[in-house]
C-alpha cells in the first residue's frame, strides 16, 4: 500500500518526538527500558497485565478513575506519547503534566516485555475508539 504524504509526515513527527523523549530520558540519567529483540507484543497477554497492574488507576475500561487518567484519550495517541513513554513511565514514574492526579509512581514488577504487551493492548483499544 503506498504511503501518503500525511502518513510520511506523521512518521517523521513520531520519530522526532521519540528522539526527543529518548534524549530527555538519557539526559536525566534514566535507563531506557527495551523489550527483548524480536518480541511480538501480545495484546491478549497485555490485557491481563493491564488488569493486574494498571486498571486500579486507569480504569478497567481504560477510561480513567479518580486515581488516574484515561488511556482512551487523544493525549495518549502514539504521535504524542510514543510506546517508549509507557516503558519510561512504568520504570521511572511520571511527573504530573496533563492531568491533576498527581505524579505517577514507578510500577514495580513489570518487565519491559510485559510493558510492551500492555502497550499493545492499549494501542488496540485506542484504535477501536478512533485514536491513531
Amino acid at each position: 500500500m503506498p504511503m501518503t504524504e500525511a502518513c510520511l509526515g506523521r512518521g517523521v513527527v513520531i520519530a522526532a518526538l521519540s528522539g526527543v523523549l529518548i534524549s530527555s530520558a538519557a539526559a536525566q540519567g534514566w535507563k531506557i527500558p527495551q523489550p527483548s529483540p524480536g518480541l511480538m507484543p501480545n495484546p491478549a497477554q497485555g490485557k491481563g497485565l493491564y488488569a493486574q497492574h494498571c486498571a486500579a488507576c486507569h480504569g478497567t475500561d481504560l477510561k480513567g478513575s479518580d486515581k488516574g487518567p484515561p488511556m482512551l484519550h487523544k493525549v495518549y495517541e502514539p504521535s504524542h506519547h510514543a510506546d517508549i513513554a509507557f516503558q519510561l513511565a512504568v520504570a521511572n514514574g511520571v511527573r504530573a503534566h496533563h492531568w491533576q492526579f498527581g505524579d505517577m509512581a514507578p510500577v514495580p514488577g513489570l518487565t519491559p516485555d510485559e510493558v510492551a504487551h500492555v502497550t499493545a493492548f492499549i494501542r488496540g483499544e485506542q484504535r477501536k475508539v478512533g485514536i491513531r
Side-chain angles (χ1 to χ4, degrees), residues 39-52:
L39 177 74
M40 297 295 291
N42 181 327
Q45 187 174 350
K47 181 177 183 177
L49 290 163
Y50 176 89
Q52 183 179 359

Side-chain angles (χ1 to χ4, degrees), residues 12-99:
V12 169
V13 169
I14 291 170
L17 289 173
S18 294
V20 168
L21 185 61
I22 290 167
S23 296
S24 175
Q28 294 184 46
W30 289 346
K31 178 180 177 260
I32 300 171
Q34 296 290 324
S36 299
L39 177 74
M40 297 295 291
N42 181 327
Q45 187 174 350
K47 181 177 183 177
L49 290 163
Y50 176 89
Q52 183 179 359
H53 297 279
C54 312
C57 292
H58 295 288
T60 57
D61 57 2
L62 287 83
K63 293 181 180 176
S65 76
D66 61 345
K67 297 177 187 170
M71 295 285 96
L72 299 182
H73 190 281
K74 190 169 179 69
V75 78
Y76 291 110
E77 70 182 356
S79 65
H80 187 69
H81 282 89
D83 291 357
I84 193 159
F86 292 89
Q87 291 284 351
L88 290 167
V90 168
N92 303 301
V94 179
R95 291 198 334 213
H97 59 287
H98 288 297
W99 311 98

